Every structure is written in structure tokens, then in C-alpha cells.
Amino acid sequence: MSEASDRGFPGLGDRLHQVQSGIADACRDAGRSSDEIDLIVVTKFHPVELVAALADLGVRDVGENRHQEAQAKAEQLAELDLRWHFVGQLQTKKARQAARYAHAIHSIDRERLVDAIADMEREIEVFIQVNLTEDPARGGAAPAELERLAEHVLSAPALHLRGVMAVAPLEEPAPAAFERLAGYSERVRAVAPGATAISAGMTHDYREAIAAGATHLRIGSAITGKRPEPR
């Protein structure tokens, strides 16, 4: 990968290629096609110039988890053909603003959030985030709420329910966590048969996520490199 194509971010293209190769290897091991996988590059705290360099390298799906930063980047890079994925916790009062630039919101975890964006003028893809821990302070809906929340999303005209999302807890092996998530995905599909997507897997566990059926990976530092200090 040439340094010119990295636009001043040495090694960016090589890291992207390594992750893409790792995804292909994990898919082969799982008996799946890499065409089933959407790679979302998470660019939290990185400058817009790095996002533009990723676009030069063919990346189209970009993830952010802070609304203010995501909104600014989306505005500055509006001329690029990018799909912005909001992957962090979203305050209800900021939801409509996020829905104006986000192609997809991966962190729907309560009915009030659904209500805030239910009547947007364009369709927004959404994922129900599931809390895989016993700690209610962690992001995500409790598993007991999944069917009710899925039905509420289906009643929202502007929302297209793609599936479920989760972050594997560090205190347990990722395969076990992702196996539970696959079970929760089946429950949501019983309510919404078209909600077949699973957003799971990050830099340290994307191979296990692929083995468990993930369709959307949210990978940051393995591609972007060391994260800058927040400003």
C-alpha cells in the first residue's frame, strides 16, 4: 500500500488490508462468505483527515460513538459517499440531531429513543442494543424487553429494524457472550423476520463474532492505529 494512498497516515492502508484479510480468514473458518460482513471503521477521536484517507481506500461505512464529534465530521465530509453509523449511547434529546446524519443507529435501547426519531423524514436503519451483563448501568436493553422493544420499533414509520447489537463483556469469554446474542437475535426475528443482522465484534473479538453469526463488525484501532487523546 503506497504512502500516498494513506494521505499522511502511514500504515493505514496496510492495517485495513490486514483486517480485511483477517475477516476473510475468519469467514472461511466459519463456513461463511465475507460478502455477508459489513465492516464499519470506528474513528472516534481521529481527525476528519483520517476519515477522508479511509474513503480514498474504499471505506464507506464509518462509526462514531459521540454525537457532537460525529455530527461535525459528517458535516465536514458531506461531499464524500459515506454511511455514518452511530454506535454509542445516545441521549434522547440528541436523537433527532443524530438521525439527520446517521445512516444507522446501533444503540436503540428504550422506547423513548424510538419515539424521538419515529417520524423522521427519511428511513433510518436501527439495531436494538442488548445488555449482555447483569449490570443495568451498562448500555443496552435488558433481554426481557427485547420483543416489546422490537414491536415498538416496527410501529415507527421512519425506522427499519435491521437486528441486534451488543458489546461482549470483558469479564467473560467472547464466544459465550456472542452465543447468547445469537439467541437474542432469534427472539427478535420471531417478532421481525427481516431483522436478521447482528452488530457485534470489535478489534479484539471480531473473529469470535463472525463465528457466532455477526454481520456487522465495529473495528477501530486495528485499522486506525492508536487513538489520539480526546480533545
Side-chain angles (χ1 to χ4, degrees), residues 88-153:
Q89 296 308 115
L90 184 58
Q91 296 178 3
T92 304
K93 64 182 179 180
K94 300 292 185 182
R96 291 187 72 84
Q97 296 177 45
R100 292 191 179 99
Y101 61 79
H103 168 78
I105 296 175
H106 292 237
S107 49
I108 298 295
D109 61 0
R110 58 196 183 278
E111 291 186 358
R112 288 182 58 209
L113 195 52
V114 174
D115 294 339
I117 58 177
D119 62 348
M120 298 296 292
E121 294 181 359
R122 65 181 183 85
E123 183 179 87
I124 304 147
E125 296 185 358
V126 299
F127 295 75
I128 294 176
Q129 182 176 0
V130 189
N131 186 348
L132 296 180
T133 76
E134 299 295 327
D135 182 359
R138 298 276 187 97
E145 301 170 359
L146 288 180
E147 286 85 357
R148 184 182 66 185
L149 187 53
E151 289 173 350
H152 200 65
V153 173

Side-chain angles (χ1 to χ4, degrees), residues 24-51:
D25 290 343
C27 285
R28 281 193 294 272
D29 291 343
R32 301 178 61 191
S33 168
S34 57
D35 292 339
E36 300 174 28
I37 305 297
D38 286 347
L39 170 60
I40 301 163
V41 182
V42 179
T43 56
K44 177 182 178 181
F45 297 148
H46 288 282
V48 292
E49 291 82 5
L50 181 137
V51 182

Side-chain angles (χ1 to χ4, degrees), residues 2 74 78 80 84 90 92 114 125 133 150 160 164 166 168 186 191 194 213 220 223:
S2 71
L80 299 181
W84 294 90
L90 184 58
T92 304
V114 174
E125 296 185 358
T133 76
H160 175 200
V164 295
E186 290 182 6
V191 175
I223 296 171

Side-chain angles (χ1 to χ4, degrees), residues 150-191:
E151 289 173 350
H152 200 65
V153 173
L154 292 176
S155 72
L159 306 188
H160 175 200
L161 180 57
R162 292 298 313 278
V164 295
M165 176 273 224
V167 178
L170 293 177
E171 56 268 24
E172 74 170 301
F178 290 142
E179 182 178 355
R180 291 207 314 284
L181 181 61
Y184 297 145
S185 174
E186 290 182 6
R187 285 172 47 185
V188 169
R189 292 201 308 273
V191 175

Side-chain angles (χ1 to χ4, degrees), residues 43-51 64 66 68-70 72-73 76 227-231:
T43 56
K44 177 182 178 181
F45 297 148
H46 288 282
V48 292
E49 291 82 5
L50 181 137
V51 182
E64 290 285 337
R66 299 194 314 166
Q68 187 172 358
E69 180 178 355
K73 287 178 177 176
Q76 293 177 65
R227 181 177 294 166
E229 292 297 321
R231 290 174 291 180

